[in-house]
RNA sequence: GUCCCCAUCGUCUAGAGGCCUAGGACACCUCCCUUUCACGGAGGCGACCGGGGUUCGAAUCCCCGUGGGGACGCCA
């Protein structure tokens, strides 16, 4: 029984997006679940489109999500010697051959086939067969190397999420495994790497289903063990449309920037296309214990930001306060708040985190504890009347001499409300506006207690000058 | 066009022939709590794509249709 090895193999042509993150998560969890190894492999053979920035973005994304790899990262560009050696061997063994077709020739071929309603594919004109005379080798065309795919029979595998899939070899053509410049192509590199790295389960997006039979054929030609395959369906945007550059295919790091906790994103992604009965909220440790491939939905899943928000709220409410503080501090920093010791940030968060589903929003809501709030004109107009300053005055008289603890402030508020025979909001709302700028907050007595006597008096007097 | 895949509430899903009068979660609505806004609690609304089979019995199995998606590169 070989040890479980999974891999995540992105190509560095862009950031780590939400679909890639889920694929990585599932591969990672599968390895964890089975006490196996998780490999990170960077598929950078498309030199024109791969960038070091994209590599870094992927690494950053994986690091933020804490999807740690046990091996790698491997870079395919550093493995050229291996690929070239194996290409030569396949040439020698008769599993591959040179093809001298020019790109123009191939384009023309494709077009004719499309017009005839056929599936466009290479016609095998340079494929060596017994009793077949190959064309004259042109002098000016550097050849590509093609894999000699079987022409009859079917390739089949039991996909761990989609079930048995069979594809006739007649549907396949001889794919190019080395370009005219000698560099190997994607399908070939994947085959060599998965084989040499001992990958036992290939978990990837289902846009690769069509590559699988080709890869299996090559694996078999090489005498390699064929891994198990699990093809994950894609993730659609909030609106049911395919995610794309200009359509919500955001980087996972964008979620970090937008105020989401990794715990929420991870939990959300885990539940997208996978389920464990009715369980909705669980830790990654729990997920790794539960995760298995046969509870993955084969159909595409639509992303739902509302549900992510709900999970984010859950984790903001339940993670250790220190953790939330670490997340909120830099966000307060962006709002110009650098000093968070007075009042104590933990106390502030304890009071405020219940009501927030987003870290940025949370930071914005508590910024007034550390800086003078802007008064919301609408709220001020609505809650401040002629008699207001008199009421406030009464309250201050009563509260002035107390120790400014929440209980005592609470009593003072109630005393004034009873004494003046007014509704509670008559007093609480103007106080809110004066202290935090808006009319929504947790219990005003608690806000005042945390804000501290000095600051409270200062802000109240700023709006209601002493007579 | 050809091949492949998919199909349960608006969304994520449970469901492996009888436990289904189809369950849970998000969202939405109502009520309760309440010092405003939230949080929380209790209810409610809401789905098996269509048609044929198979079976005593089908959301579950089979076929056809329809709809959606993917792949058909010297991209990955």
């Amino acid at each position: 029984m070989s040890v479980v090895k999974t891999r995540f193999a992105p190509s560095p042509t862009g950031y780590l997006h939400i679909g890639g993150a889920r694929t990585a998560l599932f591969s990672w969890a599968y390895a964890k679940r089975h006490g196996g190894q998780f490999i990170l492999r960077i598929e950078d053979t498309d030199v024109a489109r791969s960038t070091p920035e994209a590599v870094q973005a992927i690494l950053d994304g994986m690091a933020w999500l804490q999807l740690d790899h046990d091996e790698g990262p491997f870079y395919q560009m550093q493995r050229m010697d291996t690929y070239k050696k194996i290409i030569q061997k396949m040439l020698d063994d008769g599993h591959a051959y040179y093809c001298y077709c020019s790109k123009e020739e191939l384009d023309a071929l494709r077009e004719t086939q499309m017009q005839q309603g056929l599936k466009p594919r290479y016609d095998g004109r340079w494929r060596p067969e017994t009793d077949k005379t190959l064309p004259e080798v042109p002098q000016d065309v550097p050849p590509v190397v093609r894999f000699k795919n079987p022409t009859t029979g079917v390739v089949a595998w039991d996909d761990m999420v989609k079930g048995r899939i069979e594809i006739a070899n007649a549907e396949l053509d001889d794919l190019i495994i080395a370009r005219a410049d000698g560099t190997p192509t994607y399908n070939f590199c994947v085959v060599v790497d998965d084989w040499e790295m001992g990958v036992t389960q290939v978990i990837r997006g289902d846009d690769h289903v069509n590559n699988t039979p080709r890869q299996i054929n090559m694996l078999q030609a090489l005498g390699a063990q064929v891994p198990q395959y699990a093809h994950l369906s894609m993730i659609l945007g909030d609106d049911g449309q395919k995610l794309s550059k200009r359509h919500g295919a955001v980087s996972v790091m964008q979620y970090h920037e937008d105020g989401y906790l990794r715990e929420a994103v991870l939990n959300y992604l885990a539940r997208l296309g996978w389920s464990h009965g009715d369980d909705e909220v669980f830790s990654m440790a729990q997920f790794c214990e539960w995760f298995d491939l046969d509870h993955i939905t084969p159909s595409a899943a639509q992303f739902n930001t509302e549900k992510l928000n709900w999970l984010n709220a859950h984790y903001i409410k339940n993670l250790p306060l220190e953790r939330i503080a670490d997340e909120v501090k830099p966000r307060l920093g962006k709002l110009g708040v650098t000093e968070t010791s007075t009042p104590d940030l933990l106390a502030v968060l304890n009071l405020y985190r219940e009501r927030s589903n987003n870290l940025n929003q949370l930071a914005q809501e508590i910024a007034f504890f550390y800086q003078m709030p802007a008064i919301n004109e609408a709220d001020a107009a609505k809650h401040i009347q002629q008699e207001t300053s008199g009421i406030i005055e009464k309250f201050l008289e009563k509260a002035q001499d107390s120790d400014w603890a929440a209980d005592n402030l609470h009593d003072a508020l109630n005393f004034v409300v009873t004494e003046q025979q007014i509704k509670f909001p008559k007093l609480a709302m103007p106080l809110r506006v004066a202290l935090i700028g808006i009319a929504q907050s947790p219990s005003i007595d608690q806000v005042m207690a945390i804000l501290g006597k000095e600051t409270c008096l200062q802000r109240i007097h700023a709006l209601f000058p002493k007579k």
Side-chain angles (χ1 to χ4, degrees), chain A residues 378-429:
Chain A
D379 282 351
K382 185 173 174 193
H383 297 290
I384 297 172
Q385 278 101 40
Q386 289 250 291
E387 66 276 21
T388 303
S389 76
I391 296 168
I392 298 280
E393 198 66 28
K394 293 281 182 203
F395 167 70
L396 288 181
E397 278 168 26
K398 187 73 193 167
Q400 201 86 303
D401 300 324
S402 83
D403 63 356
W404 216 258
D407 293 2
N408 295 328
L409 291 166
H410 184 83
D411 291 344
L413 289 165
N414 279 324
F415 177 87
V416 174
V417 165
T418 312
E419 187 197 54
Q420 298 296 306
Q421 297 188 311
I422 52 171
K423 296 272 192 197
F424 200 97
K426 272 274 189 208
L427 172 55
M429 288 309 192

Side-chain angles (χ1 to χ4, degrees), chain A residues 69 108 119 147 173 267 270-271 282 294 316 341 344 402 420:
Chain A
H69 46 270
K119 186 173 181 166
F147 171 63
D173 63 359
N267 194 157
R271 267 303 270 106
F282 43 80
D294 41 59
I316 288 175
S341 51
D344 178 41
S402 83
Q420 298 296 306

Side-chain angles (χ1 to χ4, degrees), chain A residues 195-216:
Chain A
W195 172 35
E196 289 211 332
M197 294 173 188
V199 172
T200 52
Q201 278 78 23
V202 173
I203 300 170
R204 60 187 3 171
D206 74 355
D207 46 336
H208 289 292
V209 166
N210 296 275
N211 290 325
T212 307
R214 301 171 187 283
Q215 294 180 9
I216 290 176

Side-chain angles (χ1 to χ4, degrees), chain A residues 40-264:
Chain A
L40 178 60
R41 186 171 75 217
I42 306 294
E43 312 220 317
D44 53 0
T45 53
D46 184 357
V47 186
R49 293 198 300 155
S50 298
T51 65
E53 290 75 25
V55 171
Q56 195 52 50
I58 290 164
L59 260 21
D60 290 347
M62 296 290 282
W64 179 58
L65 293 174
Q66 298 186 341
L67 299 178
D68 304 323
H69 46 270
D70 302 296
E71 289 179 32
F74 297 110
Y75 294 85
Q76 290 187 323
M77 283 309 284
Q78 294 171 11
R79 292 173 45 75
M80 282 302 138
D81 292 349
T82 307
Y83 303 135
K84 285 181 178 169
K85 214 174 293 172
I86 295 174
I87 287 168
Q88 189 53 53
K89 186 173 184 303
M90 291 180 85
L91 247 11
D92 295 343
D93 293 349
H95 287 305
Y97 61 92
Y98 289 112
C99 165
Y100 296 85
C101 284
S102 66
K103 286 186 191 181
E104 294 69 34
E105 241 178 303
L106 293 172
D107 287 344
L109 178 64
R110 246 193 300 277
E111 201 164 318
T112 338
Q113 286 167 330
M114 287 287 253
Q115 273 170 2
Q116 291 170 3
L118 297 168
K119 186 173 181 166
R121 52 208 212 266
Y122 179 62
D123 62 2
R125 62 184 71 169
W126 287 94
R127 179 180 169 121
E129 308 276 9
T130 34
D131 301 331
K132 174 178 170 187
T133 320
L134 262 19
E136 189 86 4
V137 174
Q139 289 309 300
D140 53 344
V141 180
V144 298
V145 179
R146 284 184 186 271
F147 171 63
K148 202 172 174 188
N149 198 80
T151 50
T152 57
V154 295
V155 204
W157 75 96
D158 292 301
D159 196 276
M160 292 169 91
V161 348
K162 294 190 188 284
R164 188 167 186 80
I165 299 178
E166 293 186 6
I167 290 166
N169 273 321
E171 291 297 327
L172 274 23
D173 63 359
D174 293 348
L175 77 163
I176 293 171
I177 60 176
R179 303 181 179 94
D181 65 4
T183 59
T185 58
Y186 166 76
N187 273 298
F188 177 76
C189 296
V190 168
V191 160
V192 172
D193 287 349
D194 284 342
W195 172 35
E196 289 211 332
M197 294 173 188
V199 172
T200 52
Q201 278 78 23
V202 173
I203 300 170
R204 60 187 3 171
D206 74 355
D207 46 336
H208 289 292
V209 166
N210 296 275
N211 290 325
T212 307
R214 301 171 187 283
Q215 294 180 9
I216 290 176
N217 280 336
M218 282 191 276
L219 251 2
Q220 281 169 344
L222 289 166
Q225 168 101 36
V226 177
Q228 286 187 291
Y229 292 95
H231 287 100
L232 274 23
S233 56
M234 54 186 293
I235 297 177
L236 273 23
D238 257 316
D239 54 0
Q241 294 301 297
K242 186 189 175 179
L243 290 175
S244 64
K245 302 288 172 289
R246 51 164 301 170
H247 201 88
V250 287
S251 153
V252 289
M253 293 311 282
Q254 188 65 46
Y255 286 91
H256 179 231
E257 257 171 62
D258 288 351
Y260 292 92
L261 287 159
R262 86 167 62 83
E263 285 83 349

